[in-house]
Amino acid sequence: MSFKNLLSFQKRMRKRVVENPMENAESLIYKATAMVHGRVIQSISRDAKTGITYGKHQASAAGEAPATDTGFLVGSITFKVDKAKEEVTGKVIASAPYAAHLEFGTSTIAPRPYMQPALEQNRKKIEKMFRDGGLIK
């Protein structure tokens, strides 16, 4: 048996066969979770807002990430990576009591999503990281 481009073949195989898959998964999921967490914070703290201005406060419009005022929401956003047996899970958590109301809206307030858009904006980068790390094809 012979291979054309043996070095290329070996490189592709190394990507698929990871020596320490759980440690590799934990590292990559940590990086991906931190990336999404950073984007969540940025979308609230720095992205332009086009809603109504109340005194010095520029509110967000429906569909935009919420505008920060006191910093309580941003301060409540954390992330963690859990490892249990054969599973690694990354979570970005907003613990402010009104966090879900902003993300999904209520009967009187239109959604100001910030979690899901942060994930979507990083999806391609995360998928590439996972492919390069041998976790997905």
Side-chain angles (χ1 to χ4, degrees), residues 2 11 23 29-33 36-39 41 51 63 68 87 90 92-93 95 97 100 107 117 119 122 124 132:
S2 66
K11 184 178 176 183
E23 290 172 18
I29 289 172
Y30 182 90
K31 289 176 186 175
T33 306
V36 173
H37 172 263
R39 180 63 191 125
I41 300 296
T68 190
E87 186 174 292
V92 178
I93 303 150
S95 60
S107 60
L119 176 60
N122 284 289
K124 288 183 181 180
D132 291 349

Side-chain angles (χ1 to χ4, degrees), residues 9-50:
F9 172 77
Q10 288 173 331
K11 184 178 176 183
R12 285 194 315 271
M13 289 309 294
R14 276 193 297 276
K15 282 185 181 179
R16 291 184 182 169
V17 180
V18 178
E19 289 181 24
N20 297 309
M22 283 301 286
E23 290 172 18
N24 192 40
E26 188 173 8
S27 172
L28 289 171
I29 289 172
Y30 182 90
K31 289 176 186 175
T33 306
M35 185 185 311
V36 173
H37 172 263
R39 180 63 191 125
V40 167
I41 300 296
Q42 181 183 32
S43 70
I44 296 169
S45 301
R46 297 190 197 118
D47 286 3
K49 310 298 183 217
T50 63

Side-chain angles (χ1 to χ4, degrees), residues 34-102:
M35 185 185 311
V36 173
H37 172 263
R39 180 63 191 125
V40 167
I41 300 296
Q42 181 183 32
S43 70
I44 296 169
S45 301
R46 297 190 197 118
D47 286 3
K49 310 298 183 217
T50 63
I52 299 169
T53 301
Y54 300 96
K56 293 181 181 182
H57 176 71
Q58 176 69 54
S60 60
E64 294 176 345
T68 190
D69 191 13
T70 65
F72 185 76
L73 176 64
V74 168
S76 82
I77 299 171
T78 60
F79 74 96
K80 69 178 185 172
V81 175
D82 293 323
K83 180 179 164 185
K85 294 185 182 181
E86 298 295 317
E87 186 174 292
V88 180
T89 307
K91 299 175 184 176
V92 178
I93 303 150
S95 60
Y98 52 86
H101 299 295
L102 289 168

Side-chain angles (χ1 to χ4, degrees), residues 113-131:
Y114 54 99
M115 292 284 203
Q116 191 64 37
L119 176 60
E120 290 302 321
Q121 290 163 5
N122 284 289
R123 180 177 302 279
K124 288 183 181 180
K125 290 178 193 173
I126 292 168
E127 287 174 352
K128 183 179 182 335
M129 272 184 357
F130 285 6
R131 269 193 308 279

